[in-house]
Amino acid sequence: MKGADKTPGRSSVDEAATRKRGRSLAALGYIQPQTYEELRAVLSSGTVHFPKRLRQVAIFLWQHPSDVALGTIAQVAAQAGVQPSTLVRFAQIFGYAGFSDFQGLFKDHVKGSWPEGRGEQRTETEPNLHFLHGMVGASQASLGRIESGFDVESFEKMVALLAAADLIYVIGSKRAFPVTTYLSLTLSQQGVRNVLVDNVGSSALDQVGCIGRGDAVLAVSFSPYNSITPDLVAVAHEREARIVTITDSTFSPLIALSDSWLEVVESDFAGFRSLAASLAVGMALVQGVAAKRGI
């Protein structure tokens, strides 16, 4: 009798969980994504809101489809900084029984795209050059990704907004700071008035204190988005400055504050991410602004 009582109970729980997942997907108007592109469309729609760990998974999947396609569930979980069970839970949200079925979207996506640097194995004659070659490969992959999917319309809008500004505030911290520092320097060299918000002496909020409606912000931010940059951009947004952003996924908190933005995803090697694509896009913006101003 006890066995007979337990089975219906478990079935009811499982059935209720299945119905709950189905209702949530149906309420959003989405069916199970059948391709990586369909999954990205759902994630970028802004209608799916994840708790912290699942959001962490979504950002990793968005930025590293090749790693997801080629790794085991343990490897992907370790790279994303979550437990394997979190990956399974994420896959189930989208109607998949488990992670291996969900992973098929990513495997199909990367078929035919190699070599991207990863498919070619090179024999190192000098062990000390291994890291250098790895970073070169990561930089090449980052730049190749820009060439294959560049949003020209957003780029041109960003150039127009920056060129029309009285003063450009360049904002970025932590890993983005080398990018913003160089962009500020090159803007100055081109005769474009700008302020590098460097937060020296914890003065970042004071540095943006005079920003106004005729000014613009060029912000650069990368995941995990835990810097001061979103707070500074929020101040500029409240003061009706125009905001353009270089960031690495649709989950960036800057997107909701931006008039236009570009997605730049950098590859990494041995835990170190390239900045090659971010610098290339940023330099193109600087050149575009100078050209539009006739400098």
Side-chain angles (χ1 to χ4, degrees), residues 81-105:
V82 298
Q83 295 296 318
S85 59
T86 306
L87 294 180
V88 174
R89 188 152 54 101
F90 189 92
Q92 290 175 340
I93 287 175
F94 291 93
Y96 285 85
F99 180 73
S100 59
D101 293 334
F102 182 66
Q103 191 179 31
L105 300 180

Side-chain angles (χ1 to χ4, degrees), residues 102-261:
F102 182 66
Q103 191 179 31
L105 300 180
F106 297 85
K107 289 181 178 179
D108 291 340
H109 173 68
V110 301
K111 281 180 182 176
S113 65
W114 302 120
E116 201 179 65
R118 195 189 288 262
E120 297 178 354
Q121 299 292 327
R122 64 185 300 165
T123 302
E124 302 291 353
T125 57
E126 173 52 63
N128 292 332
L129 293 180
H130 175 67
F131 182 81
L132 173 61
H133 290 151
M135 286 305 301
V136 169
S139 298
Q140 290 173 334
S142 301
L143 292 168
R145 194 178 293 115
I146 288 295
E147 284 191 328
S148 65
F150 192 67
D151 188 342
V152 176
E153 184 177 345
S154 293
F155 176 81
E156 291 179 346
K157 182 177 180 181
M158 290 170 71
V159 168
L161 292 173
L162 292 173
D166 295 331
L167 185 63
I168 299 173
Y169 288 77
V170 189
I171 301 177
S173 56
K174 296 187 176 180
R175 188 170 67 89
F177 188 67
V179 179
T180 54
T181 301
Y182 191 52
L183 296 186
S184 175
L185 172 64
T186 53
L187 283 167
S188 297
Q189 289 175 335
Q190 295 296 318
V192 179
R193 296 175 61 247
N194 72 95
V195 174
L196 173 64
V197 181
D198 55 18
N199 199 28
V200 171
S202 300
S203 61
L205 288 172
D206 296 309
Q207 289 177 311
V208 299
C210 295
I211 196 167
R213 183 178 297 178
D215 301 324
V217 168
L218 170 55
V220 183
S221 179
F222 307 115
S223 63
Y225 315 121
N226 56 1
S227 68
I228 193 176
T229 302
D231 294 333
L232 298 174
V233 174
V235 171
H237 183 263
E238 289 174 1
R239 299 191 178 187
E240 300 184 16
R242 307 310 296 266
I243 299 166
V244 302
T245 297
I246 297 173
T247 191
D248 57 2
S249 85
T250 190
F251 297 96
S252 171
L254 299 188
I255 290 178
L257 303 172
S258 300
D259 295 287
S260 187
W261 66 283

